[in-house]
Amino acid sequence: MKGQHTIPFGTNANTVRLVAVKDGFAESIDVFVPAETYSLNVSSIYHEENFLVGSKGKVVLQARLFNNNNPVSLKALKESRITVSIKNHQNIDSSFDVPSVVWDHRNEYVLEVPVQTYLRHIEIKVTGKVETYSGKPQQLESTHSIQF
């Protein structure tokens, strides 16, 4: 039947049988109802020449939130945090957190990373959670690595 029908996401993906009625006519149809699944995609932009020893290298981050591949407002992302892990050529690790990050779809977030001597690897992990329609929180994560 032609027209627009709104079917909410389910907690599990399944196929349901619906009876559509219009003008006294009915049609039985099978409809796939996808599970509500969010994903967090964080893009990063940086320039290697920005990472000079003793300075703070800048990494520009831009977050995008999706529900079943459909864009969702970043306001739905709660308790967002950035964890930065740094490793040098001597395999000495250090890390720091940026808690309570507020994302905006119109602006990028500029992350400043302290540059150590013999910097080899930076891992940037963005985490957060969203509240699903069923009331259960879903944990999300996006990770980026920078090798030198």
Side-chain angles (χ1 to χ4, degrees):
M1 300 189 110
K2 293 182 180 180
Q4 184 176 3
H5 307 282
T6 303
I7 299 172
F9 294 114
T11 53
N12 297 318
N14 60 14
T15 302
V16 295
R17 182 171 297 268
L18 296 178
V19 177
V21 179
K22 182 176 180 179
D23 298 331
F25 295 97
E27 180 181 359
S28 175
I29 54 175
D30 289 330
V31 177
F32 177 72
V33 180
E36 181 182 16
T37 305
Y38 288 89
S39 61
L40 176 64
N41 295 339
V42 179
S43 301
S44 65
I45 299 173
Y46 65 94
H47 196 284
E48 287 185 12
E49 293 176 1
N50 194 20
F51 290 87
L52 301 173
V53 175
S55 67
K56 290 189 176 185
K58 292 184 178 13
V59 180
V60 178
L61 302 174
Q62 189 167 41
R64 294 284 183 251
L65 184 61
F66 297 92
N67 183 357
N68 292 27
N69 295 323
N70 297 310
V72 177
S73 171
L74 286 168
K75 292 178 183 176
L77 186 62
K78 306 294 182 198
E79 298 179 21
S80 181
R81 139 189 288 350
I82 299 172
T83 303
V84 180
S85 300
I86 303 168
K87 186 178 278 192
N88 67 15
H89 284 287
Q90 298 168 326
N91 286 330
I92 298 173
D93 293 327
S94 63
S95 65
F96 66 93
D97 284 339
V98 181
S100 306
V101 178
V102 178
W103 298 96
D104 181 4
H105 70 279
R106 289 171 276 161
N107 298 312
E108 294 87 10
Y109 183 87
V110 178
L111 177 67
E112 293 185 344
V113 179
V115 181
Q116 304 172 349
T117 307
Y118 306 117
L119 179 63
R120 183 180 76 175
H121 180 259
I122 299 173
E123 182 180 89
I124 301 169
K125 181 166 61 170
V126 179
T127 58
K129 70 178 184 177
V130 291
E131 196 74 27
T132 63
Y133 291 112
S134 64
K136 297 177 183 176
Q138 181 182 347
Q139 296 292 333
L140 302 173
E141 180 179 303
S142 181
T143 305
H144 294 276
S145 292
I146 301 172
Q147 298 284 342
F148 296 98

